[in-house]
Amino acid sequence: MDKVLREEEISHLVEELISRYQVFGPKRKGSDHVFDEIRSSDELDLSYVTTILPPKKFLLPQREKILSFGPGATPEEPKPPRKQLIFGIHSCDLNAILILDKVFLDKYPLPSYAERRKNLVTVALTCTEVDRACFCSSMGTGPSPDQGYDLLLTRLGGRYLAEAGSPEGEEILNLVEGEEAEPKDYEAKHRLIEEVRGKFRKRVDTEGLPEVIGESLQHGIWDELGEICLACAQCVMSCPTCYCFDVRDRLELNLKEGFRFKEWDSCLLLEFAEVALGGNFRGSRAARIRQFIGHNLGWGGGCQYEALDGMFKCVGCGRCIRVCPVHIDLTDAAARLRGEIVAKSV
Amino acid sequence: MQNPYRPIPARIDRIVRVRRDVKTYTLSLLNAEDEAFQPVEPGQFIMISVPGLGEAAFSVSSWNSEGRVFDTTIRRVGRLTSYLDGLSEGDEVGVRGPYGRGWPLKESEGKDILLIAGGIGLAPLKPVISYIAHNRERYGLLEILYGARTPDELIFMDEYDAWRRIKDTILRLTVDMVPKGVIWDYNVGLVPILIEDVEVRPEGSEVMVCGPEVMMHFVVKALTSRGFSEDQIYLSLERRMKCGIGQCGHCQIGSKYVCRDGPVFSYAEIMGLPDVNI
């Protein structure tokens, strides 16, 4: 049964959740927000718009052991002590997790990912504010999710509509008092979503976009972006769906034991497409920025995994736009590839 | 849940020096019954792993019906391959795979086969030759075009006579240049010049190509101008695979993953993809 919760019930709910799960949520850090462990409900700041890093860090740690070797080899990853719960995850980031699931669960499940995913509970939060770089609305991934959450909260004035999306979400809802949701509450939610949709300043026309990009591989925009791109890889590091990684070994001083680990990697880095004898299939920055934008808006979603069913890899969170030191904006790039004239970005 | 990154122990049964910096290693699984390792098909690749040094993808250079004892021919170029170069028969390494999609042998039955290789690119095509020799009646003419920079850089020279003795088989060789004092009775020039004389006709044939991408570029040009269509030319692509299972992203070219959808592709499948220079 969906409920309507008063503002103070949310704090109560968070305290209850902290006693049952390891809870992560948006916390203020300087002028930004980060997903961090929440030990008390007042640490949580649900008025956030976005976080520096997306929550993929909970499922794909920056560095992760995939294999141990040597006489004293230990199991790869200890299990998390308790189930983990992300409180207040926005729709873009939640949809990003659904894309990561396709990569790491579908054909060759990665045991560490599968374990963490099984133990992850999500309490999603409909966005009421939109940042200058957000464009989830055009990617069909926001401002409110329609799947993938255990519980969905939507703030309606001083009250929250709380909708369960799974049996675990139902159980969570049973932890708090609240009135039964009525048709007018769902209507209010839909009105709110429409109102938020009106606030987006960035958009991407996704109609036939994979084909447009596929036919634009020789477009002058790539050289132009390659000229200004610093290949710093911040876009990739802050992307909620960029999953590429490098694999390396580390040997202990005794030279007998060690481990193999995977670590976040980026197609923007020169070494990424290197092969033997110094060959490099993406030696130019133009080719590398084309790979990043192409993967996100072109070949990444449309056809990379049949199971993605036409979803794009990009979820429109806007982080890559916010962090780019030279203001490369993939929404502008997409528009220019269609032949639209784009005013200088913010 | 099985860790897809766990290598399976394998023993080096035999090491044969192919060239100054190239050796063929015959590997067998320590536990021959290990079900994590499926029989190898020609054109597929395996990951070879040395704890502490890492892992890399190598093509398989032999074919036998068991597919669980196999050769891999490796050129010494980096840290891992230099380490392998120093190993002896009886030493152990880790393997996983085999991965990817190999040469279209089943689809090619009843057809003439044209194999075109450059340099060490002959290694992934060698199992095709053994496979056809073993199933000779199922294929038409077999024509092999092979080139390297110098006569010294040709690989598998000991095998050429045996290949020529396979029924209805032609072997044509070329080198880019012949150093002074070296005797060379075959062609001189880049691999595509051999295409001028091929006997295999486009009708009812398949072409399988492996070599440097720049060579494959000119080979494809020469083939298409002779009337071979994009979907009867198969190419094996090189990328540095880190995972082999479509997760790490290193071998992505447009919508394809070389490790999962390749390494063998028809030219039709990869035409127009980004970062392929063929």
Side-chain angles (χ1 to χ4, degrees), chain A residues 66-69 76 103-104 107-111 114 214 217 243-247 249 251 260 265 272 274-277 281-282 287 290-291 295 299 303-305, chain B residues 1-7 49-55 75 77 99 213 238-240 242-243 245-250 252 254-255 257 260 272-275 277:
Chain A
I66 52 174
L67 190 75
S68 303
F69 43 77
E76 274 62 74
V103 182
F104 293 105
K107 195 165 175 199
Y108 294 97
L110 183 64
L217 299 178
Y243 53 81
C244 291
F245 57 85
D246 192 16
V247 178
D249 280 15
L251 210 51
R260 180 162 295 162
D265 202 349
F272 190 81
E274 224 172 44
V275 293
L277 294 167
F281 288 98
R282 277 199 290 270
R290 181 177 68 186
Q291 166 64 15
H295 192 190
W299 48 84
C303 40
Q304 181 189 342
Y305 296 97
Chain B
M1 191 179 295
Q2 193 137 22
N3 181 352
Y5 292 99
R6 180 166 294 286
S49 164
V50 174
L53 273 179
E55 212 176 21
R75 181 172 174 194
V77 287
Y99 292 125
E213 219 157 279
E238 178 198 16
R239 291 294 184 279
R240 190 173 281 176
K242 301 274 171 129
C243 75
I245 55 176
Q247 292 179 344
C248 79
H250 282 261
Q252 194 187 17
S255 58
Y257 274 78
R260 192 193 56 182
L273 288 182
D275 312 316
N277 306 311

Side-chain angles (χ1 to χ4, degrees), chain A residues 118-312:
Chain A
K118 197 177 73 193
N119 283 300
L120 182 69
V121 178
T122 50
V123 176
L125 178 68
T126 298
C127 287
T128 50
E129 286 308 318
V130 168
D131 174 82
R132 62 175 175 85
C134 294
F135 58 101
C136 64
S137 179
S138 12
M139 302 311 299
T141 52
S144 188
D146 46 23
Q147 56 164 334
Y149 53 81
D150 292 291
L151 188 67
L152 170 63
L153 301 175
T154 304
R155 188 163 193 260
L156 305 168
R159 313 173 329 140
Y160 283 85
L161 170 63
E163 301 166 83
S166 72
E168 187 139 10
E170 296 274 358
E171 281 173 36
I172 292 173
L173 259 188
N174 288 336
L175 299 173
V176 278
E177 301 288 329
E179 300 159 26
E180 188 174 341
E182 293 177 31
K184 68 175 170 58
D185 300 308
Y186 297 102
E187 283 159 25
K189 176 191 164 190
H190 288 119
R191 271 199 307 279
L192 170 77
I193 290 173
E194 283 316 305
E195 189 187 311
V196 176
R197 276 192 203 285
K199 294 182 182 178
F200 284 90
R201 277 183 279 173
K202 286 208 185 292
R203 64 179 292 276
V204 169
D205 176 2
T206 56
E207 186 66 37
L209 190 54
E211 291 74 23
V212 170
I213 294 184
E215 289 157 12
S216 309
L217 299 178
Q218 308 307 325
H219 196 289
I221 191 175
W222 307 122
D223 284 331
E224 205 181 299
L225 294 178
E227 279 292 315
I228 57 170
C229 173
L230 303 174
C232 68
Q234 288 202 64
C235 48
V236 166
M237 297 301 148
S238 64
C239 173
T241 61
C242 275
Y243 53 81
C244 291
F245 57 85
D246 192 16
V247 178
R248 285 154 63 188
D249 280 15
R250 177 154 299 164
L251 210 51
E252 302 298 345
L253 285 174
N254 65 18
L255 302 181
K256 290 192 179 81
E257 287 153 33
F259 56 91
R260 180 162 295 162
F261 61 100
K262 65 193 266 293
E263 184 172 53
W264 292 359
D265 202 349
S266 163
C267 58
L268 263 305
L269 302 177
L270 177 63
E271 301 80 7
F272 190 81
E274 224 172 44
V275 293
L277 294 167
N280 195 326
F281 288 98
R282 277 199 290 270
S284 77
R285 267 179 288 183
R288 303 206 292 277
I289 190 85
R290 181 177 68 186
Q291 166 64 15
F292 174 72
I293 294 177
H295 192 190
N296 275 290
L297 294 177
W299 48 84
C303 40
Q304 181 189 342
Y305 296 97
E306 298 91 81
L308 273 186
D309 256 345
M311 283 157 75
F312 285 87

Side-chain angles (χ1 to χ4, degrees), chain B residues 210-274:
Chain B
C210 186
E213 219 157 279
V214 61
M215 179 209 97
M216 296 202 285
H217 171 80
F218 288 105
V219 162
V220 166
K221 265 188 154 175
L223 288 170
T224 47
S225 70
R226 284 185 64 96
F228 288 89
S229 66
E230 286 88 5
D231 56 3
Q232 64 189 147
I233 304 171
Y234 287 83
L235 309 137
S236 180
L237 299 191
E238 178 198 16
R239 291 294 184 279
R240 190 173 281 176
M241 276 76 93
K242 301 274 171 129
C243 75
I245 55 176
Q247 292 179 344
C248 79
H250 282 261
C251 68
Q252 194 187 17
I253 45 167
S255 58
K256 309 281 186 198
Y257 274 78
V258 173
C259 71
R260 192 193 56 182
D261 306 310
V264 173
F265 294 93
S266 76
Y267 180 56
E269 287 175 289
I270 52 167
M271 279 166 71
L273 288 182

Side-chain angles (χ1 to χ4, degrees), chain B residues 159-227:
Chain B
E159 313 264 349
Y160 300 167
D161 284 341
W163 292 351
R164 288 193 181 96
R165 284 196 299 271
I166 302 170
K167 191 170 175 286
D168 295 329
T169 298
I170 302 166
L171 173 67
R172 299 180 196 277
L173 301 172
T174 187
V175 291
D176 301 354
M177 56 159 292
V178 183
K180 264 199 181 120
V182 174
I183 298 166
W184 177 252
D185 297 332
Y186 305 95
N187 289 67
V188 177
L190 302 174
V191 173
I193 66 154
L194 295 176
I195 295 173
E196 292 165 16
D197 300 325
V198 288
E199 291 183 25
V200 167
R201 301 284 128 219
E203 303 72 45
S205 66
E206 299 279 12
V207 192
M208 304 179 196
V209 192
C210 186
E213 219 157 279
V214 61
M215 179 209 97
M216 296 202 285
H217 171 80
F218 288 105
V219 162
V220 166
K221 265 188 154 175
L223 288 170
T224 47
S225 70
R226 284 185 64 96

